[in-house]
């Protein structure tokens, strides 16, 4: 009862609604069961794959069953899809052991077995790379540091990328090995049609990279043999974002977007990245609908495709709806693992502080908070596309646990990474924040970023 009264006092919203949403999710949440279906039944959801298309059908059905209306897919051009093939690698001298390898997405394969001596490329600038590029011919390149744009080059990132691409293209290397940033020898996955580092590139474990360096330091050149079988499909395909709504009662033209990405990497079922966000937002819709709650503004869930390939789905969404952006009240993205929400991040603009603070206020009174309104970046995800367009857009910072160190983009992004209680809290916070934004004061738009780095 005390919490009920406090929620009413603190938020100015109906504290009963906050309590009811929290209770509904507490008692009837379908999130974990849905996440099991998505991970165990649908499986990996690489952009452009049959798995993602199965997931879109699954998600549309779930949103419809949850009570959403206007459930539909909005397609956009992807280009040729990419599919992993068989991949293996072995050290031919030294300890002679095979080692794990994971091909960079949207990078061409090796067309069979290739062999070569390992050399280290440590080139933080394009100029340093240029100076040694010719010497990489016939070598397997261990990429310790790759060129990053200098202050001057940052003004024209596409030109920088083009120059780097040309340099790689002129270099007759055998393959490129990228040390993983994950712990415990876990590999990573990355890449996309516009995130193409180069051809014939793959992640290897941290200690495997360190072993190569130890050998080189002892004067022994590692000799490796590897196969990268990933390849492109024959024809260009479309991808799609899944869209669903709960129509607003008073101002249906004003829209609050809850955004998560349905695509995942391909060597895991993507339980945390971003299955957890998907099922949380399906649950927000279900809980509001089940309670008969009708927001003043329209709630729109958008489950993006192609996030992992460089936020392609949100870019396509923005391009298709540019004229409507003024009517987007806010965008809230849940894509930082499956931990409890601790802050609304990425989006602290003074003009938004009051509305955001009011939106999170009820969380504390119902035992979910405190939730900070913070500036720090929480995750590079779809909110950044909207933010660059001036739309009030932010994301949840979540307790990270072993997310960034082990689970994120690794093959162990599995269901055991998701604690039901944490997912429940994230869902409840999302529901309350969404309800606040759907019914509270409007947030002013910012001037668009003239030179966004996305
Ligand atoms: Zn993600």
């Amino acid at each position: 009862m005390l919490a009920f009264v406090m929620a009413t006092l603190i938020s100015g919203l109906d504290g009963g609604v906050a309590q009811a949403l929290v209770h509904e999710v507490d008692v009837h949440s379908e999130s974990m069961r849905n996440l099991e279906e998505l991970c165990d039944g649908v499986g990996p959801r690489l952009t452009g794959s049959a798995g993602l298309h199965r997931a879109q059908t699954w998600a549309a059905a779930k949103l419809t069953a949850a009570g959403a209306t206007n459930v539909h897919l909005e397609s956009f051009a992807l280009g040729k899809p990419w599919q992993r093939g068989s991949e293996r690698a072995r050290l031919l001298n030294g300890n002679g052991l095979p080692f794990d390898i994971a091909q960079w997405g949207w990078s061409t394969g090796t067309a069979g077995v290739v062999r070569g001596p390992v050399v280290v490329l440590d080139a933080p600038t394009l100029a340093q790379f240029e100076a040694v590029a010719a010497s990489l011919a016939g070598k397997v390149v261990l990429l310790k540091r790759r060129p990053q744009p200098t202050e001057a080059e940052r003004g024209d990132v596409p030109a920088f990328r083009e120059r780097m691409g040309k340099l790689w293209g002129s270099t007759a290397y055998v393959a490129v090995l990228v040390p993983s940033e994950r712990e415990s020898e876990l590999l990573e996955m990355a890449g996309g049609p516009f995130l193409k580092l180069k051809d014939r590139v793959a992640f290897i474990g941290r200690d495997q990279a360190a072993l190569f360096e130890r050998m080189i330091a002892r004067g022994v050149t590692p000799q490796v043999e590897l196969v990268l079988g990933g390849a492109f499909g024959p024809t260009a395909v479309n991808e799609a974002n899944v869209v669903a709504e709960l129509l607003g009662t008073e101002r249906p033209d004003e829209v609050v977007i809850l955004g998560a990405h349905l695509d995942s990497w391909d060597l895991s079922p993507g339980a945390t990245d971003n299955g957890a966000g998907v099922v949380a937002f399906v649950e927000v819709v279900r809980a509001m609908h089940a309670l008969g709650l009708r927001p003043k503004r329209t709630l729109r869930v958008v489950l993006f495709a192609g996030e992992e390939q460089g936020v392609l789905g949100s870019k396509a969404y923005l391009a298709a709806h540019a004229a409507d952006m003024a009517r987007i009240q806010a965008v809230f993205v849940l894509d930082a693992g499956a931990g409890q929400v601790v802050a609304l991040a990425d989006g602290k603009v003074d003009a938004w502080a009051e509305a955001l603070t009011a939106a999170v206020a009820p969380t504390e009174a119902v035992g979910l908070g405190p939730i900070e309104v913070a500036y720090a970046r929480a995750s590079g995800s779809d909110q950044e596309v909207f933010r660059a367009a001036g739309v009030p857009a932010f994301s949840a910072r979540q307790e990270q646990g072993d997310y960034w160190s082990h689970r994120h983009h690794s093959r162990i992004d599995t269901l055991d990474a998701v604690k039901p209680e944490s997912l429940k809290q994230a869902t409840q916070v999302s529901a309350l924040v969404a309800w606040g934004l759907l019914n509270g004061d409007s947030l002013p738009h910012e001037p668009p970023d003239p030179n966004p780095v996305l």
Side-chain angles (χ1 to χ4, degrees):
M1 190 60 195
L2 180 64
F4 175 93
V5 173
M6 280 179 67
T8 309
L9 290 175
I10 291 167
S11 69
L13 289 174
D14 183 0
V17 169
Q19 286 285 20
L21 279 167
V22 166
H23 183 259
E24 177 62 29
V25 174
D26 222 7
V27 177
H28 298 127
S29 175
E30 295 177 359
S31 294
M32 281 309 292
R33 200 166 68 226
N34 283 340
L35 194 55
E36 276 182 37
E37 281 185 27
L38 186 62
C39 291
D40 300 351
V42 177
R45 307 172 295 283
L46 186 65
T47 299
S49 72
L52 181 53
H53 300 152
R54 274 199 305 278
Q56 287 157 352
T57 304
W58 174 89
K62 285 288 164 189
L63 285 159
T64 303
T69 55
N70 193 19
V71 180
H72 64 282
L73 269 60
E74 298 187 5
S75 72
F76 61 91
L78 176 69
K80 286 184 178 176
W82 179 88
Q83 193 175 8
R84 190 177 303 279
S86 67
E87 44 197 19
R88 60 187 165 79
R90 190 161 66 98
L91 183 56
L92 298 172
N93 55 352
N95 67 21
L97 284 169
F99 55 93
D100 286 344
I101 192 162
Q103 190 172 344
W104 187 281
W106 277 260
S107 129
T108 54
T110 55
V113 179
V114 293
R115 294 180 189 86
V118 175
V119 295
V120 175
L121 176 63
D122 187 7
T125 69
L126 216 47
Q128 284 163 298
F129 181 31
E130 213 157 6
V132 297
S135 71
L136 304 179
K139 308 284 171 45
V140 173
V141 180
L142 175 61
L143 190 58
K144 194 166 181 181
R145 280 189 296 177
R146 62 171 180 263
Q148 301 294 334
T150 60
E151 194 64 44
E153 288 162 339
R154 224 167 282 155
D156 192 351
V157 172
F160 169 84
R161 286 183 185 156
E162 198 184 326
R163 278 176 60 208
M164 186 152 76
K166 274 194 181 141
L167 260 179
W168 279 114
S170 69
T171 307
Y173 61 89
V174 172
V176 177
L177 303 178
V178 181
S180 171
E181 290 182 12
R182 299 293 165 270
E183 294 175 16
S184 311
E185 284 303 89
L186 286 164
L187 304 186
E188 292 175 63
M189 291 164 276
F194 307 105
L195 298 174
K196 191 172 149 176
L197 191 64
K198 58 202 73 67
D199 296 329
R200 304 182 302 283
V201 52
F203 284 105
I204 60 169
R206 275 188 195 187
D207 189 60
Q208 190 63 44
L211 164 62
F212 292 154
E213 291 203 76
R214 292 195 297 268
M215 290 175 74
I216 291 166
R218 287 198 301 270
V220 180
T221 301
Q223 302 285 339
V224 299
E225 172 184 281
L226 54 95
V227 177
L228 299 173
F232 290 90
T235 51
V237 298
N238 284 345
E239 250 320 334
N241 300 319
V242 180
V243 180
E245 292 182 339
L246 285 179
L247 209 61
T249 50
E250 290 181 18
R251 280 167 275 166
D253 282 354
E254 293 182 17
V255 175
V256 172
I257 290 178
L258 297 183
H261 65 89
L262 193 53
D263 66 297
S264 75
W265 272 105
D266 61 332
L267 292 176
S268 83
T272 63
D273 192 12
N274 188 212
V278 168
V279 298
F281 287 166
V282 171
E283 178 62 18
V284 169
V285 170
R286 193 204 63 77
M288 286 185 188
H289 180 76
L291 292 167
L293 294 174
R294 299 293 305 276
K296 290 177 184 170
R297 299 187 178 91
T298 292
L299 171 65
R300 183 177 296 160
V301 172
V302 186
L303 304 179
F304 297 105
E307 192 276 344
E308 299 294 7
Q309 283 64 52
V311 287
L312 302 180
S314 44
K315 283 179 175 168
Y317 187 91
L318 190 75
H321 299 279
D324 302 331
M325 280 304 122
R327 297 192 288 110
I328 306 298
Q329 157 80 2
V331 176
F332 178 54
V333 165
L334 189 63
D335 183 21
Q340 296 207 1
V341 173
V342 295
L344 298 189
D346 285 328
K348 191 170 182 182
V349 166
D350 286 344
W352 302 345
E354 206 174 316
L356 291 185
T357 303
V360 299
T363 58
E364 190 159 7
V366 294
L368 300 172
I371 311 294
E372 189 193 348
V373 176
Y375 180 73
R377 192 167 187 258
S379 70
S381 190
D382 295 296
Q383 76 279 356
E384 296 189 342
V385 171
F386 294 92
R387 180 71 188 273
V391 178
F394 42 92
S395 67
R397 191 195 306 153
Q398 296 169 260
E399 263 179 1
Q400 64 182 49
D402 62 357
Y403 180 62
W404 300 109
S405 60
H406 290 78
R407 306 283 184 168
H408 178 249
H409 294 188
S410 86
R411 64 178 168 73
I412 60 161
D413 186 357
T414 44
L415 211 63
D416 64 333
V418 181
K419 294 191 184 81
E421 286 308 309
S422 300
L423 179 59
K424 188 180 279 184
Q425 187 267 9
T427 307
Q428 289 167 327
V429 170
S430 299
L432 266 53
V433 167
W435 189 255
L437 294 167
L438 286 161
N439 298 284
D441 292 340
S442 61
L443 281 71
H445 282 225
E446 289 280 290
D449 183 344
N451 194 14
V453 180
L454 293 170

